[in-house]
Structure formats: C-alpha cells, structure tokens
Amino acid sequence: MTPAELRDFCLGFNAAVEEFPFTPEISVFKVLGKVFALSALDADPLRVNLKCDPEQAVALRAEHEAIVPGWHMNKRHWNTVTAGGPGALPDALVRELVEDSYDLVVAGLPRAERLRLDRP
C-alpha cells in the first residue's frame, strides 16, 4: 500500500478528516473528533497506528510479524501495522484493519452521531 492509497482510504469514510495536531509529518485521521488512524505517511516502511479490540489485537500480533503493539499509544487498544515496504501486510488486510478501527471509534460515539453517519 502506498501512502496516497492509505490517505485516500482513510478519508473515504463518512466524516473522516486528516489533521496534524502533533507535527506536520504525522497525519491523524479522525471521525467527529475521535482518532481512528495515525501515520507518518512519508516514513519507510509505511506504518499506521489503528484501534483494535483488545483480544483481537493480541491475536493479530501473534499471527503477523507486521503487527506490533501501538507505538506511543495504549498498547491494549492500539496496534502499529506495517502497511508498505518490506514485510508489509497485504493491502486487503490493511484495509480491513483500518475499517475495523473506524468502526470501533464510531461505535463509541453517541447514538445520534452514529445515526448521522449511517452506522447504527
């Protein structure tokens, strides 16, 4: 997956925005003010921090070398995923993990906001 593909995929979700609250190099993707992905898009290899169900996070780390506990994040709820370069996960799996992260964040939003996003 290329940085442009990752950015486009993240921004393709309802109400998703890209912000730079930490440094100009770190893209933070949010839905209604809540973070669902972070990435230094110019890094090599390309990595992205994604929210994950705690039990699934442990299972994914055991199954894939390219998935490790979230860098500078709550290790229980976040994974760092190698999305591009040597040893990267297949694009389809990266997309699935990004969508799961978005869905987890949306699930934590108030019901009225979820309904506005067409994601009850």
Side-chain angles (χ1 to χ4, degrees):
M1 178 172 281
T2 67
E5 289 170 336
L6 178 61
R7 173 184 278 128
D8 290 345
F9 189 71
C10 288
L11 293 174
F13 293 104
N14 287 346
V17 297
E18 179 181 20
E19 296 180 357
F20 302 89
F22 306 118
T23 69
E25 295 82 28
I26 305 292
S27 293
V28 178
F29 298 96
K30 297 181 176 182
V31 56
L32 300 180
K34 303 293 184 182
V35 177
F36 70 92
L38 295 95
S39 181
L41 293 174
D42 59 353
D44 186 24
L46 177 63
R47 292 188 179 97
V48 59
N49 281 4
L50 300 169
K51 193 160 189 157
C52 191
D53 171 77
E55 290 179 18
Q56 184 184 19
V58 173
L60 286 167
R61 293 173 198 160
E63 189 176 334
H64 302 281
E65 239 180 76
I67 301 177
V68 296
W71 184 70
H72 282 296
M73 304 296 281
N74 180 328
K75 312 277 188 253
R76 180 170 153 76
H77 296 278
W78 289 84
N79 280 335
T80 297
V81 174
T82 302
L89 292 177
D91 289 359
L93 181 54
V94 173
R95 285 186 185 91
E96 181 182 322
L97 295 173
V98 171
E99 185 171 4
D100 288 350
S101 180
Y102 176 87
D103 288 343
L104 272 173
V105 171
V106 168
L109 295 171
R111 185 173 188 272
E113 290 181 351
R114 287 194 315 269
L115 292 175
R116 269 194 347 204
L117 294 172
D118 294 328
R119 292 210 184 250

